[in-house]
Amino acid sequence: MSNTKRSTVVTDDGARLTVYTDGSSRAGVTVILSHGFLMTADAWRIQARELSARGLRVVRYDQRAHGASAAGEAAPTVDRLGADLAAVINATAPGGPIVLAGHSMGGMAILTMASHRPELIRSRRPRVALVSTACSRAQLVPGNHPLHWAKAAARASYSYPVCWLPPAADVVRRRLPSRHPWALRPDVQHHDTVPPPSRQAIRRTRTKQIAQLWKSLRTYTTADRLHALDELADQVEILTGELDDWIPLSQTRDLAQQLPNARLHPPVLGAGHRLPSDRTGHAAVTEVLSRMAEAALRGSESESTAAAGARL
């Protein structure tokens, strides 16, 4: 995207998060997008293009240890990603209405931030889209169908070596072809203004850091800690794909039970886990975010009108 601007947000532990901004700084609403595990901000390219064309300001960023972002001194965990999101919000949209959208692990970052920083949720009152995400730990087996067990076996075949033999995994990754998504090329830098494609998400990331984050995903939960988010009521919307084989529908329903005031959309028919870029699912995500931004702008204008009337 030719008009994308690149900047850096430095966290309190020294992680340098690469941020990509589309749209005018004078836009009335900022949409902040948080991507999932082993992806980059490029996962939101369709939404960034279409929403900025509608006059909105769109902020994406590469999660720590992903894409063009550095890891920092702290171990990469889901809690840490929630703190990173708060830092991105404060740096890129310190005032004005905001819409937050998180896909998969990015949604977990929103949930974790809400559980640890309820005052931020209550003061900013964002509109929130939780896309293909969960409030409980990642599962290897998404269901009881034989195909699910086959997929679980395939995932275990690489997740266990990654978690328990990181140095050996690094040796193997250095020998993979450069275009392989697991290839390790720590000296390769990305200087473009647009985010690297998701297939290059971890080319600079040591296996130990991937293992730390995966272990955190396997133990993470925000159950019974989402009261501030639930207070936003219908400003929170939950979306998922009918064929999601990473976050099964049972976990989506569990999330909805934790947020009984949120709006749970019917699963997008024919869509899988990568809903923001899914061939059949991306339009649903874009439309929800556009509608949320319009509602946020109307709410802001109404508050400004009311405040002006009170001064007269």
Side-chain angles (χ1 to χ4, degrees):
M1 299 177 66
S2 58
N3 295 322
T4 302
K5 297 178 182 179
R6 174 171 165 162
S7 60
T8 301
V9 171
V10 182
T11 67
D12 58 5
D13 73 317
R16 299 179 65 84
L17 305 179
T18 303
V19 177
Y20 311 91
T21 304
D22 296 281
S24 171
S25 59
R26 295 187 295 275
V29 180
T30 299
V31 181
I32 300 177
L33 306 173
S34 180
H35 70 78
F37 186 50
L38 306 188
M39 300 181 191
T40 70
D42 186 59
W44 294 102
R45 64 187 177 278
I46 296 174
Q47 287 72 35
R49 180 180 66 245
E50 296 194 9
L51 295 176
S52 61
R54 300 181 190 188
L56 302 171
R57 180 171 178 257
V58 182
V59 173
R60 299 172 287 166
Y61 65 102
D62 290 336
Q63 303 277 13
R64 65 170 55 217
H66 287 66
S69 292
E73 296 181 3
T77 63
V78 183
D79 283 356
R80 186 68 249 188
L81 298 184
D84 291 349
L85 175 57
V88 170
I89 293 171
N90 291 333
T92 64
I98 56 175
V99 174
L100 302 180
H103 170 249
S104 193
M105 183 184 74
M108 296 176 187
I110 293 177
L111 296 173
T112 301
M113 183 191 73
S115 69
H116 290 301
R117 296 284 304 277
E119 75 285 354
L120 179 59
I121 297 297
R122 291 185 172 114
S123 64
R124 298 302 302 273
R125 295 193 60 78
R127 294 181 181 267
V128 179
L130 301 170
V131 183
S132 304
T133 194
C135 62
S136 55
R137 67 189 187 95
Q139 298 181 8
L140 280 176
V141 185
N144 293 320
H145 191 278
L147 180 60
H148 293 153
W149 286 96
K151 289 181 177 180
R155 293 166 183 170
S157 68
Y158 63 79
S159 65
Y160 286 113
V162 162
C163 288
W164 304 112
L165 297 169
D170 278 347
V171 171
V172 173
R173 292 177 63 204
R174 287 191 184 96
R175 297 181 179 180
L176 292 172
S178 60
R179 294 183 63 82
H180 194 284
W182 279 84
L184 178 61
R185 302 290 187 272
D187 297 329
V188 173
Q189 301 294 320
H190 181 83
H191 299 291
D192 203 345
T193 56
V194 297
S198 289
R199 66 175 180 274
Q200 297 177 10
I202 54 171
R203 68 187 317 182
R204 298 172 53 216
T205 309
R206 304 285 182 181
T207 305
K208 179 181 179 181
Q209 295 164 336
I210 299 171
Q212 290 172 324
L213 187 49
W214 174 245
K215 290 177 181 178
S216 175
L217 288 167
R218 292 283 288 154
T219 58
Y220 141 92
T221 182
T222 52
D224 301 320
R225 301 204 303 266
L226 299 176
H227 307 297
L229 203 59
D230 195 45
E231 289 170 8
L232 298 178
D234 59 0
Q235 290 185 198
V236 179
E237 303 192 30
I238 303 171
L239 299 88
T240 191
E242 174 196 23
L243 305 178
D244 194 328
D245 61 358
W246 272 108
I247 306 292
L249 293 178
S250 60
Q251 286 193 291
T252 302
R253 288 191 286 267
D254 289 344
L255 174 60
Q257 288 180 354
Q258 292 291 319
L259 297 169
N261 292 314
R263 178 182 176 186
L264 174 62
H265 289 255
V268 180
L269 298 179
H273 180 63
R274 297 194 176 201
L275 207 55
S277 58
D278 186 275
R279 181 172 56 88
T280 60
H282 70 84
V285 176
T286 303
E287 287 308 309
V288 165
L289 295 180
S290 179
R291 180 171 45 75
M292 282 184 158
E294 291 172 1
L297 184 58
R298 288 195 301 270
S300 177
E301 291 173 346
S302 297
E303 290 177 5
S304 298
T305 301
R311 289 194 297 269
L312 294 178

